[in-house]
Amino acid sequence: MSDLRELYQETILGHYKKPRNFGKLPPPSRHREGYNPLCGDKVTVYMHVKDDVVTDIRFEGSGCAISTASASMMTEALKGKTVAEAEEIFKRFHELVTGKEAGDNDNLGKLAVFAGVREFPARVKCATLAWHTFHAALEGGEQPVSTE
Ligand code: ZN
């Protein structure tokens, strides 16, 4: 268990200090802003979707280690996936952090480190902010996403 905790901290801190796919995407991109007022996390997710595939995805923002690492790892997990696959990963990730998953996380890979946040309900919003924002960007529209 302590190994898992170390892995959890190492992975999350690594992505927090050096976020992957950080920055804007040039237009025409879909983008959406998300905000978690409880913690003060802000994220904007940008993506290009072509022929139902998420061909590129980036994010910008500022927030705590959990929200930044989650956004960073999300971009790695979703890039190159079909929209349907991405939505499935979002669903599984959400189940993982809220503790409702059936135990089959094989295809979540490194994202499984976020299982630890289920012990901290306030952190679940940090961990899912970028994902909800991604989901909203897929659906289109302009309203910023709020976890509240
Ligand atoms: Zn946060």
Side-chain angles (χ1 to χ4, degrees):
M1 189 61 205
S2 67
D3 284 354
L4 192 65
R5 202 165 293 259
E6 262 171 47
L7 173 74
Y8 165 80
Q9 289 183 347
E10 233 173 72
T11 306
I12 287 175
L13 284 177
H15 278 265
Y16 176 54
K17 288 180 188 155
K18 226 181 135 193
R20 319 300 197 267
N21 302 306
F22 191 84
K24 286 188 173 70
L25 276 178
S29 65
R30 302 188 195 198
H31 62 276
R32 200 75 175 253
E33 287 169 41
Y35 184 43
N36 174 17
L38 269 189
C39 181
D41 307 317
K42 283 182 197 163
V43 68
T44 304
V45 174
Y46 299 85
M47 64 183 159
H48 287 154
V49 177
K50 197 172 175 241
D51 298 333
D52 248 11
V53 172
V54 180
T55 55
D56 209 352
I57 177 166
R58 288 179 165 263
F59 79 102
E60 274 188 334
S62 59
C64 66
I66 303 267
S67 70
T68 303
S70 178
S72 172
M73 290 170 75
M74 177 187 81
T75 60
E76 286 192 323
L78 301 186
K79 197 166 172 175
K81 296 288 192 296
T82 66
V83 168
E85 286 167 343
E87 291 278 34
E88 178 65 22
I89 295 169
F90 165 59
K91 191 174 142 239
R92 281 172 176 267
F93 181 77
H94 195 262
E95 289 170 352
L96 172 80
V97 296
T98 53
K100 291 183 198 125
E101 109 281 3
D104 175 19
N105 301 318
D106 291 353
N107 65 355
L108 281 176
K110 284 193 291 179
L111 290 168
V113 297
F114 285 97
V117 304
R118 71 175 63 151
E119 294 166 44
F120 310 98
R123 290 302 195 183
V124 171
K125 288 180 176 171
C126 302
T128 56
L129 174 65
W131 295 79
H132 284 297
T133 307
F134 156 76
H135 181 70
L138 263 187
E139 294 190 321
E142 301 289 325
Q143 287 295 332
V145 178
S146 174
T147 55
E148 294 307 300

